[in-house]
Amino acid sequence: MAGTQVDDSSFLQAFANFLGAPEPALRLLISILIGYPLVLIHRYTLYCKSPRLQHLYFISCGVSIALFNYGQNVVHSAVCIMVAWLLLLFIGGTVASIIISFLFQMTYLLVGYYLTGTDTYDIKWSMPHCVLTLRLIALTYDVYDGKKDLDKLSSDQQKTALTFTPTLVEIAGHTYFPASFMVGPQFSMRRYLDFVKGTLVGCELPPCLIPGILRGSLGLFYLAVYQVGISWIPDTFINSEDYEAMALWQRHVLVGLWAKITLYKYISCWLIAEGVCIMSGLAFNGRDPKSGGPRWDGCRNVHVLLLEGSTQFGHIIQSFNSNTNAWVAQ
């Protein structure tokens, strides 16, 4: 078994070197892309079937992805999920539950950053744990909102509030959902449960395959642009003596281009992951009022046209990592 793992790692390292990318980045990309066949299997075997079987399928997929990326460190996500469930089980729906959840989950994440952080951007267990932290804190808020009178909730809160305490299997399925476990996007437990029960779209297979493929293809395009761009202006160049020796106007132009290219790393991952969510049916967001066709932007984390055409700083906030920004605002 150990020999097989070494061989697999050696093969991935060699392939990563061929692509000019770090091995952890290649593992991350594989983990996001594997979501497409995984949701297709779910679509044609488990869609609208037993919710418990669906939860277990998503848990097994997500845990397998975690093991592939960072091995035994998957225990960190398991610990935080267990604490979140116990907290909701005993004091869910109270102010104390929100405070304890926020303090525990954020402290666990920050300590993880401190223990694993280096001078470079690392792909370790603490990277997807950020997604998990936000998701579990939001879950505590949703259960708290579910204890309030409906007329005291905002329209956003009414869409996400939970009038019951989710089971451990439901929380784990929501957290380990393979399309979003590693890089997001964020979505509420309410959306996830509606999807699993078949009440989000309906039990007839939704026409979401082509929209999902198109969104994922756009992500691959951005990934290709990033790979070409970063080979032209690598991260190390910005800290090099050659860069410091350039004229001020040249440094301004190059650092602007470098920053734009660097953003494409995140945009590509989000678009590919969103494509998986669309293909699963989870991203259904009602119907277009003009055409009457289904909208598949329920898990959108980047508004490409607004981002690329932005003329104000507010446009960046509205278009980049928009799901997380909306979570903070809510």
Side-chain angles (χ1 to χ4, degrees), residues 140-159:
T140 312
Y141 272 98
D142 293 341
V143 174
Y144 174 73
D145 290 338
K147 302 293 184 180
K148 298 180 181 178
D149 293 333
L150 191 63
D151 56 358
K152 294 183 179 180
L153 301 177
S154 68
S155 57
D156 287 334
Q157 290 172 324
Q158 290 179 17
K159 294 177 182 177

Side-chain angles (χ1 to χ4, degrees), residues 109-129:
L109 175 65
L110 292 175
V111 171
Y113 280 155
Y114 177 78
L115 294 176
T116 63
T118 64
D119 292 335
T120 60
Y121 186 84
D122 300 306
I123 301 177
K124 298 179 179 178
W125 69 264
S126 54
M127 186 205 72
H129 203 85

Side-chain angles (χ1 to χ4, degrees), residues 24 27-28 63 65-81 104-117 121-133 136 175-176 181-183:
R27 287 180 180 271
L28 175 62
V63 170
I65 290 172
L67 289 170
F68 173 68
N69 280 274
Y70 44 83
Q72 63 185 11
N73 284 318
V74 68
V75 68
H76 296 292
S77 60
V79 167
C80 289
I81 290 171
F104 175 82
Q105 303 292 354
M106 287 299 294
T107 301
Y108 202 106
L109 175 65
L110 292 175
V111 171
Y113 280 155
Y114 177 78
L115 294 176
T116 63
Y121 186 84
D122 300 306
I123 301 177
K124 298 179 179 178
W125 69 264
S126 54
M127 186 205 72
H129 203 85
C130 177
V131 179
L132 178 145
T133 298
L136 294 178
T175 303
Y176 286 120
F181 173 64
M182 292 297 292
V183 297

Side-chain angles (χ1 to χ4, degrees), residues 11-45:
F11 171 76
L12 285 174
Q13 184 63 64
F15 190 44
N17 293 338
F18 172 75
L19 296 175
E23 182 186 345
L26 178 59
R27 287 180 180 271
L28 175 62
L29 179 60
I30 292 172
S31 300
I32 301 173
L33 289 173
I34 200 70
Y36 286 90
L38 290 178
V39 298
L40 281 177
I41 293 172
H42 171 264
R43 175 186 175 91
Y44 292 112
T45 61

